[in-house]
């Protein structure tokens, strides 16, 4: 019989992995009806994701034809780079590294606008004076800081990009953990130069299904994104799981309440321990350690964090911590205290 133990990145027993930023509550109960999903096994997937796009259109008050579904948010990011082939790219940093990795697959001159450490790496309007590119990537909420950028700032950025002839890509992969009234999804009809990305990976804890999507009102732009990869990018399983996830109407509100409470508990505990834990609006936050080798000591204690030391714009020993179940959060705080007081 096949050994299924090593076909995923599930941590070993006893290891506390707070580097993964998926929903700590796990998948919605509605997704766990595997009989429905397996019953579709003998059929090819709908390459247009018709029913899924209809459901997403209702959820976000947009038109189905403005939505494209892909094999996770990363697939969308790489398709944007491959499909649009920008010559110059601007990335607001520190942020998710795959924006840069995707642009490096094409002949693109990449620059960064660095958020200031004295402002805790929060968004600042200085970026508005630096739009000298064909494409701008920004995450909202940002990763790894967890900051939710105000909608008015996103609109100003979209206007600046439009005036400069640039496409603005807004990655909202963690928007579901916040007040979604600040989402830019509906703004794609006001700004045809805007692409908004989201996924089911983080909010619905469905990384194994690989399902992301983007919204854009410009048909030619969306067509270029579609043509940048294979037609059937989303499996029949992923489409079915996403539709079932959207049926759970209470899941998101329960998630937001739980994450807010546990995030505040974690941040307070780590700050009391002597670390610098930055405030956040989502299910993770950035931490700076004044102690050299702290990340390694955590690993030696079977606690894995997201190492951010190589991220553009960060100086010193930074790492990202994701909110987990309460007992895991308590274990993390206790481990941090022990290491600091050794």
């Amino acid at each position: 019989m096949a050994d299924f133990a090593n076909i995923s990145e599930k941590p070993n027993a006893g290891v506390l992995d707070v580097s993964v930023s998926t929903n700590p509550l796990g998948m919605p109960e509605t997704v766990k009806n595997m009989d429905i999903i397996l019953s579709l096994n003998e059929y090819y997937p709908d390459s247009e994701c018709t029913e899924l796009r209809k459901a997403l259109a209702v959820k976000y008050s947009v038109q189905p034809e403005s939505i494209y579904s892909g094999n996770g948010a990363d697939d969308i990011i790489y398709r944007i780079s491959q499909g649009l082939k920008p010559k110059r790219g601007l990335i607001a940093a520190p942020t998710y590294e795959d924006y840069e990795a995707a642009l490096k697959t094409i002949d693109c001159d990449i620059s960064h606008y660095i958020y200031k450490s004295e402002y805790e790496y929060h968004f600042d309007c200085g970026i508005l004076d630096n739009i000298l590119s064909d494409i701008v990537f920004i995450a909202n909420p940002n990763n790894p800081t967890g900051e939710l950028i105000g909608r008015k700032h996103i609109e100003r950025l979209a206007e600046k990009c439009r005036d400069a002839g640039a496409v603005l890509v807004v990655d909202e992969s963690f928007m579901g953990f916040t007040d979604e009234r600040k989402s830019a999804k509906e703004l794609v009809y006001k700004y045809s130069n805007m692409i908004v990305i989201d996924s089911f990976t983080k909010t619905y804890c469905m990384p194994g299904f690989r399902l992301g999507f983007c919204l854009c009102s410009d048909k030619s732009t969306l067509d270029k994104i579609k043509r940048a990869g294979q037609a059937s990018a989303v499996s029949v399983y992923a489409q079915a799981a996403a539709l079932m996830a959207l049926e759970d109407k209470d899941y998101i509100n329960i998630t937001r309440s739980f994450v807010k409470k546990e995030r505040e508990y974690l941040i307070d505990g780590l700050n009391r321990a002597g670390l610098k834990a930055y405030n956040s609006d989502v299910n993770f936050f950035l931490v700076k350690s004044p102690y050299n080798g702290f990340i390694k000591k955590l690993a030696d204690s079977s606690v894995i964090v997201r190492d951010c030391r190589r991220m553009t714009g960060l100086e010193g020993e930074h790492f990202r911590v994701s909110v987990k179940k309460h007992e895991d959060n308590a274990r993390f705080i206790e481990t941090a205290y022990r290491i600091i007081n050794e």
Side-chain angles (χ1 to χ4, degrees):
M1 182 176 179
D3 182 4
F4 296 101
N6 297 314
I7 65 172
S8 71
E9 295 183 353
K10 182 178 180 180
N12 295 328
V15 173
L16 174 58
D17 187 352
V18 297
S19 69
V20 178
S21 53
T22 52
N23 193 322
L25 299 183
M27 290 190 301
E29 289 298 318
T30 50
V31 182
K32 296 178 181 179
N33 187 349
M34 292 301 295
D35 290 340
I36 294 176
I37 296 177
L38 292 177
S39 70
L40 303 170
N41 181 54
E42 297 180 0
Y43 305 96
Y44 283 101
D46 171 16
S47 62
E48 296 296 323
C49 297
T50 306
E51 293 304 317
L52 177 56
R53 288 190 297 113
K54 287 179 182 178
L56 289 170
V58 171
K59 177 177 174 61
Y60 295 114
S61 301
V62 296
Q63 298 300 315
E65 57 267 25
S66 300
I67 303 172
Y68 172 74
S69 298
N71 190 238
D74 285 352
D75 178 41
I76 303 292
I77 293 167
Y78 279 81
R79 282 175 180 265
I80 289 171
S81 295
Q82 294 288 337
L84 304 187
K85 291 184 169 53
K87 295 297 183 182
R88 298 173 299 171
L90 176 64
I91 302 172
T95 196
Y96 183 48
E97 300 103 313
D98 269 28
Y99 308 142
E100 182 170 354
L103 291 176
K104 284 183 176 179
T105 65
I106 59 175
D107 184 18
C108 183
D109 181 20
I110 304 168
S111 60
H112 298 85
Y113 180 80
I114 308 298
Y115 296 141
K116 298 175 178 62
S117 60
E118 58 265 34
Y119 300 135
E120 298 190 348
Y121 306 106
H122 285 183
F123 175 88
D124 70 78
C125 293
I127 192 174
L128 299 173
D129 300 320
N130 288 266
I131 312 300
L132 300 172
S133 57
D134 305 315
I135 194 166
V136 176
F137 278 91
I138 190 166
N140 188 33
N142 192 26
N143 177 10
T145 63
E147 179 201 10
L148 177 61
I149 305 167
R151 186 163 169 165
K152 67 177 181 179
H153 292 313
I154 296 296
E155 290 208 59
R156 290 181 64 192
L157 187 54
E159 290 167 1
K160 282 285 188 177
C161 287
R162 182 179 59 192
D163 293 344
V167 172
L168 174 62
V169 181
V170 184
D171 185 351
E172 292 191 347
S173 292
F174 293 95
M175 184 61 74
F177 293 101
T178 74
D179 181 355
E180 289 194 278
R181 288 176 296 180
K182 296 183 179 180
S183 168
K185 291 182 177 68
E186 291 182 35
L187 294 178
V188 297
Y189 298 107
K190 185 175 181 180
Y191 304 103
S192 60
N193 64 314
M194 179 185 286
I195 302 170
V196 180
I197 299 172
D198 206 336
S199 80
F200 284 76
T201 298
K202 310 300 183 181
T203 310
Y204 290 96
C205 193
M206 291 166 50
F209 284 105
R210 308 309 305 143
L211 178 56
F213 59 95
C214 70
L215 296 89
C216 180
S217 64
D218 185 74
K219 185 179 183 301
S220 64
T221 298
L222 211 56
D223 285 344
K224 290 176 183 177
I225 294 171
K226 291 179 183 179
R227 292 196 300 267
Q230 64 169 320
S232 298
V234 183
S235 73
V236 67
Y237 301 123
Q239 292 183 48
L243 287 168
M244 288 190 285
L246 292 173
E247 289 181 359
D248 193 330
K249 306 303 181 183
D250 298 322
Y251 176 81
I252 296 298
N253 288 331
I254 294 171
T255 290
R256 289 171 183 163
S257 177
F258 177 86
V259 165
K260 182 177 185 295
K261 180 180 178 181
E262 289 299 315
R263 181 183 67 234
E264 292 173 351
Y265 166 73
L266 260 173
I267 289 175
D268 179 67
L270 295 181
N271 281 331
R272 288 177 181 272
L275 300 169
K276 171 58 180 174
Y278 298 91
N279 288 325
S280 166
D281 296 295
V282 291
N283 62 320
F284 59 81
F285 52 90
L286 185 66
V287 181
K288 183 175 183 180
S289 170
Y291 311 103
N292 291 329
F294 189 78
I295 294 173
K296 183 180 184 305
K297 290 181 179 179
L298 283 171
D300 292 341
S301 299
S302 298
V303 176
I304 309 301
V305 296
R306 176 70 165 83
D307 190 343
C308 299
R309 288 176 292 183
R310 294 184 179 179
M311 279 190 173
T312 300
L314 290 178
E315 297 178 357
E317 189 153 330
H318 285 86
F319 57 92
R320 190 190 70 191
V321 174
S322 298
V323 174
K324 301 298 179 184
K325 295 290 183 66
H326 181 76
E327 57 269 26
D328 293 327
N329 299 331
R331 174 183 166 185
F332 184 82
I333 293 172
E334 291 167 3
T335 303
Y337 265 94
R338 178 179 56 76
I339 291 172
I340 290 169
N341 291 294
E342 282 178 343

